[in-house]
């Protein structure tokens, strides 16, 4: 029997698992594979250099799957920001009905998408930000714990607390993000009140993930301790894979006399990070990875991964159910 949660019902998926929108990873190959396996695949809008390139990627994804998939739009601080409105318009024009949003000041983009009856999943690292997103009319909140890869926020609240706070405070359904890689994690998230989970690093380490095999092998061979938190000084904290460059970035951040971002900028170049995924040199630039690396031990297809997660989750829920009986117990 398939899962029946608010997420599966609304999105038309069979396994309540969403693939995170990851820069330089969220291409059609991965998104289609996740959707074909019963989850929700996500294209990353800003991985495409222009809105028209996103349109082409949407067409490419449609040629690979007949199932629902979404698009991620992450609004990040930049001297010359991308034309987010133009990306949103392409999404609307192409009839995409599911969008994952994240980042700063998402109101205008969310308003534009909601007018087109788009289902919005918005990522938040605090309950306070989640409440603000509710006022914008989002349909689901993706609650991102401190364990996650990439932007972790500034509160350092791990999911065991954050998800329970979300359950207590939020009137909008939410999914759990950060630290998930298996069915036991899915069962735990459902028990804490979530309607499903979002996975990023775990999907990086799949056959269909469009990154170099060396990166996938590195994830498999790494531990939960092999990440670094950089850019704390500028309240833009990011969890990265702990490699030569991220350690140099952290050193430059700590030793900067001026406190200027320019002291660390050369180390955190996104272009160098993209090259890691293309050339397989895991020390060439910075790249994001979550503490969940410690739970990842293989490189399966998306189909095999989601089948396994579904079975593990059902087994875990059945085991939990077996621990309680309302039958009278005999006294010893």
């Amino acid at each position: 029997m398939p899962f029946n949660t608010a997420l599966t019902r609304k999105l038309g998926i069979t396994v309540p698992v969403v693939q995170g929108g990851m820069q330089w990873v969220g291409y059609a190959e991965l998104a289609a594979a996740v959707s074909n396996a019963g989850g929700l695949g996500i294209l990353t809008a800003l991985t495409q250099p222009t809105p028209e390139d996103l349109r082409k990627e949407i067409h490419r994804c449609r040629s690979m799957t007949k199932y629902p998939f979404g698009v991620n739009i992450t609004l990040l601080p930049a001297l010359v920001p991308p034309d987010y409105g133009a990306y949103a318009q392409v999404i609307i024009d192409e009839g995409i009905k599911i969008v994952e949003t994240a980042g700063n000041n998402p109101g205008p983009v969310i308003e534009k998408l909601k007018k087109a009856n788009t289902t919005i999943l918005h990522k938040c690292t605090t309950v306070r930000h989640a409440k603000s997103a509710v006022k914008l009319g989002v349909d689901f909140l993706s609650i991102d714990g401190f364990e996650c890869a990439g932007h972790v926020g500034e509160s350092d609240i791990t999911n065991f607390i954050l998800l329970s706070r979300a359950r207590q405070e939020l009137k909008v359904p939410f999914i759990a993000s950060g630290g998930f890689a298996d069915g036991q994690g899915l069962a735990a998230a459902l028990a804490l009140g979530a309607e499903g989970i979002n996975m990023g690093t775990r999907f990086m380490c799949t056959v269909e993930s469009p990154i170099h095999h060396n990166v996938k092998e590195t994830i498999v061979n790494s531990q939960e301790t092999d990440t670094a938190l950089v850019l704390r000084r500028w309240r833009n904290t990011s969890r990265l894979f702990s490699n030569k460059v991220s350690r140099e970035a952290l050193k430059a951040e700590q030793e900067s006399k001026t406190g200027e971002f320019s002291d660390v900028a050369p180390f955190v170049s996104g272009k160098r990070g993209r090259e890691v995924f293309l050339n397989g040199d895991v020390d060439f630039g910075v790249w994001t990875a979550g503490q969940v690396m410690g739970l990842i031990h293989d490189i399966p297809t998306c189909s095999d991964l989601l089948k396994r997660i579904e079975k593990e989750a059902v087994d875990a829920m059945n085991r939990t159910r077996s621990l309680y009986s309302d039958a009278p117990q005999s006294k010893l």
Side-chain angles (χ1 to χ4, degrees):
M1 174 180 264
F3 284 92
N4 180 19
T5 74
L7 188 74
T8 60
R9 292 192 299 271
K10 183 72 172 179
L11 304 189
I13 59 179
T14 58
V15 185
V17 175
V18 175
Q19 168 234 318
M22 297 169 281
Q23 186 73 341
W24 315 128
V25 183
Y27 291 97
E29 291 86 352
L30 179 58
V34 174
S35 291
N36 286 335
L40 183 78
I42 298 273
L43 298 176
T44 306
L46 297 188
T47 288
Q48 303 301 322
T50 70
E52 284 306 306
D53 287 305
L54 174 60
R55 190 188 307 276
K56 293 174 186 175
E57 194 71 3
I58 289 171
H59 292 173
R60 206 160 70 87
C61 196
R62 281 213 174 103
S63 74
M64 298 178 185
T65 183
K66 62 181 181 180
Y67 297 104
F69 63 90
V71 176
N72 165 281
I73 298 182
T74 298
L75 296 92
L76 296 174
L79 292 176
V80 183
D83 189 345
Y84 295 116
Y87 280 99
Q89 191 60 52
V90 165
I91 290 168
I92 293 167
D93 292 346
E94 291 301 321
I96 297 295
K97 290 301 181 184
I98 306 167
V99 172
E100 178 187 67
T101 56
N104 302 322
N105 192 27
V109 166
I110 289 175
E111 182 181 8
K112 185 182 183 80
L113 292 166
K114 288 303 295 180
K115 285 180 179 177
N117 296 316
T118 307
T119 297
I120 304 292
L121 289 69
H122 185 69
K123 297 192 79 170
C124 304
T125 57
T126 68
V127 171
R128 179 172 61 86
H129 289 130
K131 287 182 175 179
S132 297
V134 169
K135 295 177 183 176
L136 298 175
V138 304
D139 300 274
F140 289 88
L141 293 153
S142 186
I143 303 298
D144 230 4
F146 183 58
E147 307 94 325
C148 72
H151 297 282
V152 300
E154 306 303 320
S155 300
D156 299 5
I157 307 297
T158 57
N159 258 329
F160 214 88
I161 302 301
L162 194 57
L163 294 175
S164 290
R165 290 288 292 120
R167 183 186 70 248
Q168 292 174 345
E169 295 282 341
L170 301 179
K171 306 304 181 187
V172 169
F174 62 92
I175 63 176
S177 178
F180 295 98
D182 53 32
Q184 289 84 356
L186 172 56
L190 296 175
L192 288 171
E195 302 291 337
I197 59 173
N198 179 302
M199 300 195 310
T201 307
R202 173 67 271 195
F203 278 124
M204 286 174 65
C205 204
T206 56
V207 170
E208 295 91 350
S209 170
I211 63 177
H212 200 285
H213 189 73
N214 287 356
V215 179
K216 301 177 189 181
E217 289 285 359
T218 298
I219 292 172
V220 167
N221 293 323
S222 295
Q223 304 299 315
E224 60 273 18
T225 50
D226 293 330
T227 68
L229 292 171
V230 303
L231 307 185
R232 303 221 87 171
R233 190 166 185 171
W234 297 279
R235 296 188 63 77
N236 189 28
T237 308
S238 293
R239 187 181 299 282
L240 306 173
F241 179 75
S242 181
N243 64 6
K244 179 182 177 182
V245 185
S246 63
R247 290 190 292 270
E248 288 175 345
L250 188 58
K251 185 171 186 286
E253 178 178 348
Q254 292 169 339
E255 295 180 355
S256 171
K257 298 291 193 295
T258 65
E260 296 292 332
F261 181 75
S262 57
D263 291 342
V264 74
F267 299 106
V268 294
S269 161
K271 291 181 180 179
R272 286 177 65 177
R274 186 185 185 191
E275 283 298 314
V276 169
F277 293 160
L278 296 174
N279 65 30
D281 180 357
V282 297
D283 281 312
F284 186 79
V286 297
W287 49 283
T288 62
Q291 292 180 326
V292 76
M293 284 192 298
L295 305 180
I296 297 172
H297 307 298
D298 62 354
I299 308 171
T301 65
C302 290
S303 176
D304 286 345
L305 175 61
L306 286 190
K307 286 176 184 173
R308 184 168 74 201
I309 286 175
E310 184 172 20
K311 182 181 186 303
E312 288 172 346
V314 171
D315 288 348
M317 289 186 290
N318 285 337
R319 176 185 177 276
T320 303
R321 193 176 297 117
S322 74
L323 299 177
Y324 174 80
S325 172
D326 57 6
Q329 294 187 12
S330 61
K331 294 181 180 180
L332 295 178

